[in-house]
Amino acid sequence: QQQQQQQQQQQQQINPHALLQQQPHPVHTGAQAPAVARPAAAHPYANPTGDQPNGWWGPADDPLPPPVSRSAPSAPRPAAPWNGPRDQNGVARTGKGRSAPAKGKGKGLAGPAPPKQLAESRRATSKGLKRGNSRGGPAAKKARTVRPMPDRRLALWKHRVQDGMRETIYVSLAGDVYPQKRGAFAFGADKDYLREIGVTDTGPGSSLSTTVEPYATLMGEDPTQLGYWSVPQSVVWAYSDRGVEKMYPWQIECLQLPGVASGERSLVYCAPTSGGKSLVAELLMLRAALFRGRRSLLILPFVSICSEKLSYLRQIWGPVGLRVDGFFSNVSTTSGGMHPGVDVGICTIEKANNMLNRMLEDGVAKDLGLVVVDELHLVGDSSRGYMLEMILLKLRLLQQAGRLASDFQIVGMSATLPNVQAVASWLGAQLYQTSFRPTALDYFVKIGGHITDAHGTEVRTLPPAPREDKEHCAMLAWDVMKHGQSVLMFCATKDWCQQAACQVAGALAALAHADRGGEFQHMSCPLSADFEETKAKRIRTLEALRLSPGGLCPVLARTVPQGVAYHHAGLTTEERNIVEEGYRMGSILMLCATSTLAAGVNLPAKRVILRSLKAGNNSLDAGRFRQMAGRAGRAGFDSKGECLVMARRVELDTVRHLVFSDLSPLRSWLTGHQLARALLEVVALKLVSKVSEVMSLFHGATLRSKTEAAGADGESLSDELESCLQILYTNGFIHALDPKAIGVKTPSATNTQRATAVTQSQQAAQRPILSSAADVAGDGPPRTPPRPTAIDDTLHSTPLGDALVFSSLDPVAGQEVFSDLKRGLCGLRMDTDLHLVFLVAPVHSGIDPDWNHFAKLHSTMDEVSRQVAHLVGVNEGFLFQASCKAPSMSRSNPNETMKVRMERDREILVHKRFWVAMILTELLGEVPLAKVAAKYAVSRGQLQSLQTIAATFCGMVIQFCDRLKWWGLSAVLGSLQPRLSFGVAAELVPLVQLDSVHPAKARHLYDDGFTTLELLAASTERRIEESLLRLRALESYRPDAAAAKQKNSVIRADARRILREAKAAWDQQVQAGFDQAGTRAAMQAPAGVDSSDEEGSPGGR
């Protein structure tokens, strides 16, 4: 007894959890958030000795099997009332070391309660087991699919795969990671504390709630500290390593808006660029995963930002075992939608729409707790805005229908969001706006040789411009570069970027020489003591560029030694990554870029120079201008940023308008074909099922209903919805039980035929060949159903409509693909890749052919390729006419009928797709990027982008075939998709999936014996380095001594990176195998045996 008393006293000394007082969640909306008087909660083992994770993590709640209960719809469990005794901290005592939640403490954020059917099935299971039936009978089989699992993400034993080996670890309440042998102490302390406050090991009471400290509500006294907002200590340290020590006041006020931190209200907030917007969303996603067991979806506009954010969040949240996965480009480690073990999915706008449709079809949408939309102002983008609005529209309809969790949130953020009140009202969200910037921003205008501020007051007169720098570009850049600070110059076009980089690089040497007696001699100056180190870094950058798939660009070869580079879509992904890394490391101090960089990766600068007031052929608007100017000023490095606009005197008023005027209101682009597509999706997903619901629910959930904007032709939204319904019905995408409900006037015989559309469309979809799109909607002898007495406005989607929705094809592209696939089923040439590639060539690729060159290439084709061209509809006479005069689509001609114009447009589209198919076929043959780019007059970056688009489009076509039950064609195209992503033969696909391995390097490694990913992961750094040295030995380039030293250093780092990526990729594959095995085990395990019972022992899960 004395020993037990001593142990209890020791535990009380090291466990301060019992001293924490339960207080309601504070809400402050004032200018400054007052601190909450609350004792700090220091964890008994705040300084861990366990290993930090550096391998691939399994599912966040893996111990296997993964939580099956996520897919089961359920309501959140409210805190149970308690009328018994309480302790001094307000915790209700229930005896036996347990506690009940305090009365009146608010709604719990714990996991869902088991449904009534589950309780009955468990009782039936126990009866079956008592009778000697080990499997528990039918009731047990039913229970296996809905067994609840804990939503808690901390204080759990978990599995992870590292270096191909599976190991058991413990993640404590503090978020610290302990190996199995050293986790017993932390496990015991956490379990004792959780037992005291009434949190069970398994079942619905195993999750944290608002009455549980330290991580379910708040900690400490200072709201500026991340720990105050329930961030585990290990994550706090990870943020601190990246310079995030404290929160800004506006971030605190934003999180303290009613219902935001608890997940009860959505949020729309606006803050300037570099103001810290991302941290608010990250904290909300972190809390949703750790304390509510909810998964999050982060939607970003560009692949480059997705890649950057994926790497960042994996490093930040890795210590607490959260699994972050990417669903963009070719990086997704799962097929289809989000794996049950993924806590946060990062995706582009288009991929997010597809994933949401898949989650709705699979019935797991209620598992989603948070959708974060970055750059929310893109709703008003003319090309992609409709897609983003369609996603948010479906989420709003799901919320209204109760098909999402009650604590589901939409979080939208932007730096340039106009009419923000209307957007917040549309999303039913709390609104927060701030103009705070951690660094001040000053605007200047250069007119001739004079520089004025934004109000027109002259602040500086420049000396006469030298011949090599007529516009003072190099002089304005050198003013900043000689201090070791960075410069961003935005140019209107890609050609301007390259010309500006060459011009500045050529003039910098003369400026540095003239400044030799000046005050500043930074490392970029040849007279600086650090210049040799900088020169070595730049040589290293050049060697890295020489190792890239496209080789060393001649322009970069001239500019990088001077610390200047250009950045636009014409560069390959590898080249852009190398240039960005050089910019971050300081070896490159000036970037000449197009306006897309302003919305891309985070590359701030001391000074931003706008060389023109245009972006391409279009004038800058205020929103894009402020995105570009907002890159000036690096938080933590600069006290202020500078934006300098180069303009003519007549453009001074335009500059002032861009700086001071309000942003133009957002307009909805959900109109025309885009509106028809949105309508088809909500009908196919059964979000609306009647015409009356379209005119009420769907109408009210659109942004247009809030902004009162008419369609493209001035048509009202109601009239346009009726027109879209008629178009969808006419093309066989939807079926109306009574066509009169959508305004279609047809004879009674046709009405009777359409009444059987659903049954007969299913029969039509099972046939291998269909004659037209209308065939999918139904054909054959009509059957006469009972004549309704009143108009029935019920709507259904047809199999063809479902195929379009779940393949993410828009109706226009879907009809084109449908027609080509039917012809392919009649005769498919399998002795060449060209025919298959044409079937998956993107309808809208953005690459227009050189018609004269196209005709020449067609005339020199081999016989097999000419036969494929004939099969798909390529006409030599059309090519001859096009070579004389380039054709254009949808050009109005009063002498042409609609039918003639549509046939001409289709013929143009067929030839454009075949041109793209020719390019992709050469890439599949492992022809170097540079050679293909020269042959077809396309930049290397465009070729890489085309590969990504083609692989994505191929996946859409595969889904389309699956929905129409064309299994054979789907299987054939399935083998083509990974090859399109990288442009390689099938045997190289596992190797080129590594970021550091391009096709040429993959072919060399394969021929050198690394034939599988497992062999590469099991190799050594030295062996990989020797293989890469043999590859470089074949080059004609012979470096000097300094360059040779850097070359060997680059190859050594490349070998180290390849080995690390190979091990991580192999760990992912092994982990995926365990995930799948766990899912099967969860479905097969007896219901009476809950796998979460093993959670309490280190030797178990």
Side-chain angles (χ1 to χ4, degrees):
Q1 291 178 354
Q2 291 178 355
Q3 291 178 354
Q4 292 178 357
Q5 290 176 359
Q6 292 176 358
Q7 291 177 357
Q8 292 176 358
Q9 292 175 359
Q10 291 175 359
Q11 290 181 359
Q12 291 177 359
Q13 291 175 359
I14 65 173
N15 188 356
H17 297 307
L19 302 178
L20 297 175
Q21 297 180 356
Q22 306 296 327
Q23 295 186 5
H25 192 293
V27 175
H28 305 291
T29 57
Q32 295 183 351
V36 178
R38 179 187 299 271
H43 199 273
Y45 38 90
N47 297 318
T49 58
D51 298 332
Q52 294 299 320
N54 55 6
W56 176 255
W57 285 87
D61 48 351
D62 176 32
L64 297 174
V68 182
S69 66
R70 283 180 153 183
S71 60
S74 54
R77 176 174 57 85
W82 176 253
N83 298 320
R86 303 178 184 274
D87 62 10
Q88 59 181 355
N89 296 322
V91 178
R93 290 292 182 187
T94 60
K96 297 184 180 181
R98 305 278 181 175
S99 299
K103 184 177 181 181
K105 293 295 182 180
K107 184 171 64 174
L109 299 179
K116 181 179 180 181
Q117 306 93 300
L118 179 59
E120 295 175 353
S121 63
R122 284 185 177 274
R123 287 193 293 270
T125 301
S126 61
K127 293 179 182 179
L129 292 173
K130 289 179 180 179
R131 295 191 186 101
N133 181 4
S134 61
R135 298 191 66 84
K141 294 181 180 179
K142 181 179 180 181
R144 291 181 207 125
T145 62
V146 289
R147 181 171 62 252
M149 296 288 287
D151 288 330
R152 177 160 39 90
R153 294 294 190 274
L154 302 176
L156 287 175
W157 291 97
K158 302 182 180 183
H159 288 312
R160 71 175 177 185
V161 175
Q162 184 170 340
D163 296 334
M165 301 296 293
R166 198 181 195 210
E167 62 180 4
T168 302
I169 58 171
Y170 179 73
V171 182
S172 69
L173 278 174
D176 302 324
V177 177
Y178 295 86
Q180 180 174 349
K181 294 182 180 179
R182 287 187 280 176
F185 170 75
F187 164 73
D190 283 347
K191 189 171 183 180
D192 290 342
Y193 169 66
L194 292 174
R195 184 183 294 113
E196 282 187 14
I197 60 178
V199 177
T200 62
D201 289 343
T202 61
S206 64
S207 299
L208 303 178
S209 66
T210 52
T211 62
V212 177
E213 294 285 356
Y215 300 111
T217 54
L218 305 177
M219 293 177 55
E221 301 177 353
D222 186 2
T224 64
Q225 300 292 333
L226 292 176
Y228 178 89
W229 299 98
S230 315
V231 179
Q233 185 61 50
S234 56
V235 179
V236 172
W237 288 334
Y239 274 115
S240 178
D241 291 341
R242 286 156 182 81
V244 182
E245 298 284 352
K246 291 188 176 182
M247 298 179 64
Y248 298 128
W250 80 263
Q251 295 170 330
I252 298 172
E253 295 174 6
C254 188
L255 288 173
Q256 288 177 337
L257 291 175
V260 170
S262 60
E264 299 172 358
R265 291 291 304 275
S266 295
L267 173 67
V268 171
Y269 61 102
C270 300
T273 303
S274 303
K277 297 187 298 297
S278 299
L279 182 61
V280 174
E282 290 170 13
L283 294 184
L284 291 176
M285 288 190 289
L286 183 68
R287 292 173 60 90
L290 292 180
F291 314 125
R292 308 207 309 271
R294 301 296 185 191
R295 303 156 79 186
S296 300
L297 200 62
L298 175 58
I299 304 175
L300 300 171
F302 303 112
V303 171
S304 58
I305 312 179
C306 289
S307 180
E308 183 183 37
K309 183 64 71 171
L310 176 64
S311 175
Y312 176 77
L313 290 184
R314 279 180 174 175
Q315 295 173 7
I316 292 290
W317 293 348
V320 289
L322 291 184
R323 180 167 173 179
V324 185
D325 208 347
F327 301 89
F328 54 91
S329 187
N330 306 312
V331 302
S332 177
T333 58
T334 59
S335 58
M338 289 177 66
H339 187 275
V342 176
D343 294 291
V344 178
I346 300 177
C347 55
T348 54
I349 297 173
E350 292 75 15
K351 188 64 177 179
N353 184 64
N354 187 27
M355 291 177 62
L356 180 59
N357 292 346
R358 289 287 298 275
M359 295 179 75
L360 288 172
E361 185 186 24
D362 296 340
V364 296
K366 204 158 190 176
D367 184 28
L368 200 60
L370 189 66
V371 171
V372 178
V373 180
D374 197 1
E375 308 295 348
L376 185 58
H377 61 272
L378 289 178
V379 169
D381 184 72
S382 58
S383 59
R384 306 174 70 197
Y386 81 95
M387 182 70 70
L388 185 55
E389 182 179 351
M390 186 165 59
I391 295 171
L392 297 173
L393 182 149
K394 287 186 287 189
L395 292 174
R396 291 294 291 155
L397 288 175
L398 287 168
Q399 281 184 303
Q400 296 173 12
R403 292 173 59 179
L404 293 175
S406 59
D407 56 353
F408 174 80
Q409 289 177 289
I410 299 174
V411 175
M413 53 180 165
S414 174
T416 55
L417 184 64
N419 57 328
V420 62
Q421 291 84 1
V423 176
S425 174
W426 170 46
L427 299 177
Q430 294 275 24
L431 174 61
Y432 188 89
Q433 299 182 77
T434 182
S435 58
F436 170 81
R437 274 183 58 96
T439 57
L441 177 60
D442 295 333
Y443 290 93
F444 300 96
V445 184
K446 175 187 174 296
I447 301 176
H450 304 276
I451 296 179
T452 68
D453 60 17
H455 299 282
T457 304
E458 185 171 342
V459 296
R460 180 182 175 185
T461 301
L462 298 174
R467 183 178 59 182
E468 62 273 9
D469 187 24
K470 295 181 180 180
E471 297 181 350
H472 297 96
C473 292
M475 183 180 298
L476 294 172
W478 178 248
D479 285 345
V480 177
M481 294 173 65
K482 64 186 180 183
H483 294 275
Q485 298 172 321
S486 52
V487 180
L488 281 178
M489 177 178 286
F490 288 106
C491 304
T493 65
K494 299 174 186 177
D495 290 339
W496 275 29
C497 292
Q498 297 178 219
Q499 293 172 7
C502 291
Q503 175 186 344
V504 172
L508 280 180
L511 288 170
H513 181 75
D515 204 25
R516 62 165 51 205
E519 179 182 355
F520 306 104
Q521 292 184 0
H522 181 257
M523 61 182 181
S524 293
C525 179
L527 301 179
S528 172
D530 297 327
F531 179 71
E532 291 300 324
E533 179 183 353
T534 304
K535 181 180 178 181
K537 289 182 179 179
R538 291 172 181 171
I539 294 176
R540 184 182 180 88
T541 300
L542 288 173
E543 290 300 319
L545 289 169
R546 191 172 279 111
L547 275 173
S548 64
L552 179 59
C553 169
V555 175
L556 293 176
R558 293 172 52 193
T559 62
V560 170
Q562 302 298 326
V564 182
Y566 70 91
H567 186 290
H568 57 61
L571 293 173
T572 64
T573 303
E574 293 80 6
E575 288 172 327
R576 289 197 296 268
N577 291 339
I578 294 170
V579 169
E580 291 165 7
E581 183 64 21
Y583 183 83
R584 293 189 182 99
M585 299 300 294
S587 60
I588 296 176
L589 293 177
M590 180 177 182
L591 280 183
C592 301
T594 55
S595 61
T596 54
L597 182 67
V601 293
N602 185 25
L603 296 175
K606 168 65 176 179
R607 175 176 290 177
V608 167
I609 301 174
L610 274 70
R611 198 178 176 193
S612 170
L613 296 180
K614 286 185 175 292
N617 294 324
N618 302 318
S619 299
L620 285 177
D621 58 12
R624 181 174 294 189
F625 172 82
R626 293 177 193 178
Q627 288 273 351
M628 297 159 69
R631 292 297 184 184
R634 302 169 299 170
F637 297 94
D638 302 325
S639 59
K640 64 171 59 178
E642 301 173 358
C643 175
L644 193 148
V645 183
M646 301 176 68
R648 297 172 297 173
R649 188 168 299 278
V650 295
E651 296 176 324
L652 183 58
D653 291 339
T654 302
V655 174
R656 293 174 181 170
H657 174 78
L658 293 174
V659 173
F660 298 111
S661 67
D662 295 332
L663 300 175
S664 302
L666 283 181
R667 61 156 294 184
S668 171
W669 290 94
L670 203 60
T671 181
H673 291 297
Q674 289 80 7
L675 182 62
R677 176 178 179 177
L679 192 53
L680 175 60
E681 291 205 7
V682 299
V683 172
L685 296 170
K686 298 179 175 57
L687 298 180
V688 297
S689 58
K690 296 179 178 295
V691 176
S692 57
E693 293 176 351
V694 170
M695 298 303 176
S696 57
L697 296 178
F698 182 89
H699 185 285
T702 60
L703 178 60
R704 282 180 59 181
S705 66
K706 303 297 181 182
T707 57
E708 299 294 332
D713 300 326
E715 191 176 11
S716 68
L717 179 57
S718 299
D719 294 339
E720 196 170 358
L721 285 174
E722 185 175 348
S723 300
C724 289
L725 286 173
Q726 295 173 7
I727 292 173
L728 294 175
Y729 175 82
T730 304
N731 286 275
F733 299 145
I734 64 171
H735 162 67
L737 199 60
D738 191 340
K740 295 180 181 178
I742 59 175
V744 177
K745 298 179 180 180
T746 58
S748 57
T750 305
N751 291 348
T752 301
Q753 182 179 358
R754 284 286 182 177
T756 61
V758 175
T759 302
Q760 302 199 13
S761 62
Q762 294 173 353
Q763 299 173 357
Q766 295 174 359
R767 294 195 296 271
I769 301 176
L770 301 175
S771 59
S772 67
D775 290 339
V776 182
D779 58 3
R783 293 179 297 177
T784 305
R787 192 177 186 85
T789 57
I791 294 179
D792 191 340
D793 63 347
T794 302
L795 297 172
H796 301 285
S797 58
T798 64
L800 179 58
D802 288 338
L804 290 177
V805 170
F806 292 105
S807 65
S808 297
L809 288 170
D810 64 81
V812 176
Q815 287 181 324
E816 183 71 21
V817 169
F818 185 74
S819 176
D820 291 332
L821 290 176
K822 284 191 303 177
R823 283 203 300 268
L825 289 171
C826 296
L828 185 63
R829 292 300 299 259
M830 299 294 292
D831 51 352
T832 177
D833 288 333
L834 183 58
H835 200 171
L836 283 177
V837 172
F838 172 80
L839 294 179
V840 298
V843 175
H844 307 292
S845 63
I847 296 180
D848 293 326
D850 180 342
W851 295 104
N852 190 33
H853 190 44
F854 193 176
K856 292 179 181 179
L857 290 177
H858 181 268
S859 63
T860 59
M861 280 182 175
D862 59 82
E863 185 60 28
V864 175
S865 299
R866 290 179 67 88
Q867 291 178 8
V868 172
H870 176 72
L871 286 173
V872 302
V874 173
N875 190 308
E876 192 170 1
F878 176 86
L879 288 177
F880 177 76
Q881 295 178 358
S883 63
C884 298
K885 183 179 181 181
S888 61
M889 298 180 62
S890 300
R891 184 175 55 187
S892 59
N893 188 343
N895 298 324
E896 288 183 343
T897 64
M898 177 64 71
K899 182 178 180 180
V900 172
R901 187 158 56 247
M902 291 179 63
E903 290 178 353
R904 177 174 53 82
D905 289 350
R906 167 159 175 74
E907 189 173 23
I908 297 173
L909 198 57
V910 165
H911 286 78
K912 285 186 174 182
R913 292 182 67 199
F914 192 78
W915 173 261
V916 170
M918 292 166 59
I919 298 175
L920 292 171
T921 303
E922 295 227 23
L923 293 174
L924 288 181
E926 300 182 21
V927 180
L929 274 177
K931 188 174 181 179
V932 178
K935 181 177 180 179
Y936 292 92
V938 181
S939 68
R940 302 183 307 278
Q942 283 182 298
L943 289 180
Q944 277 196 336
S945 178
L946 176 61
Q947 287 180 287
T948 301
I949 296 172
T952 302
F953 196 80
C954 181
M956 297 161 66
V957 174
I958 292 171
Q959 290 289 331
F960 187 80
C961 293
D962 287 340
R963 293 287 171 171
L964 295 180
K965 297 183 173 56
W966 295 345
W967 311 119
L969 189 57
S970 174
V972 172
L973 296 177
S975 63
L976 186 65
Q977 185 180 13
R979 295 181 58 203
L980 284 172
S981 299
F982 307 103
V984 294
E987 67 266 19
L988 299 185
V989 169
L991 298 181
V992 292
Q993 288 179 344
L994 304 180
D995 292 338
S996 300
V997 179
H998 55 74
K1001 193 183 298 183
R1003 173 55 65 188
H1004 176 78
L1005 291 172
Y1006 185 90
D1007 295 340
D1008 218 13
F1010 300 103
T1011 55
T1012 65
L1013 187 62
E1014 183 179 5
L1015 290 175
L1016 190 61
S1019 182
T1020 62
E1021 180 182 330
R1022 179 59 183 169
R1023 187 181 172 194
I1024 299 175
E1025 181 183 349
E1026 291 174 352
S1027 179
L1028 296 179
L1029 284 171
R1030 286 192 293 271
L1031 174 63
R1032 294 297 302 272
L1034 301 176
E1035 298 178 351
S1036 59
Y1037 165 71
R1038 292 293 180 266
D1040 55 21
K1045 181 180 178 180
Q1046 294 302 323
K1047 167 187 171 181
N1048 295 333
S1049 176
V1050 169
I1051 292 178
R1052 189 176 303 111
D1054 193 30
R1056 187 182 306 115
R1057 187 165 50 249
I1058 290 175
L1059 182 60
R1060 182 174 63 249
E1061 292 174 357
K1063 288 183 176 181
W1066 179 244
D1067 289 346
Q1068 291 180 25
Q1069 290 189 11
V1070 176
Q1071 183 66 64
F1074 282 121
D1075 292 346
Q1076 294 175 4
T1079 303
R1080 289 193 296 269
M1083 299 299 295
Q1084 297 174 3
V1089 181
D1090 193 340
S1091 60
S1092 61
D1093 294 340
E1094 302 176 11
E1095 185 178 301
S1097 62
R1101 298 175 66 184

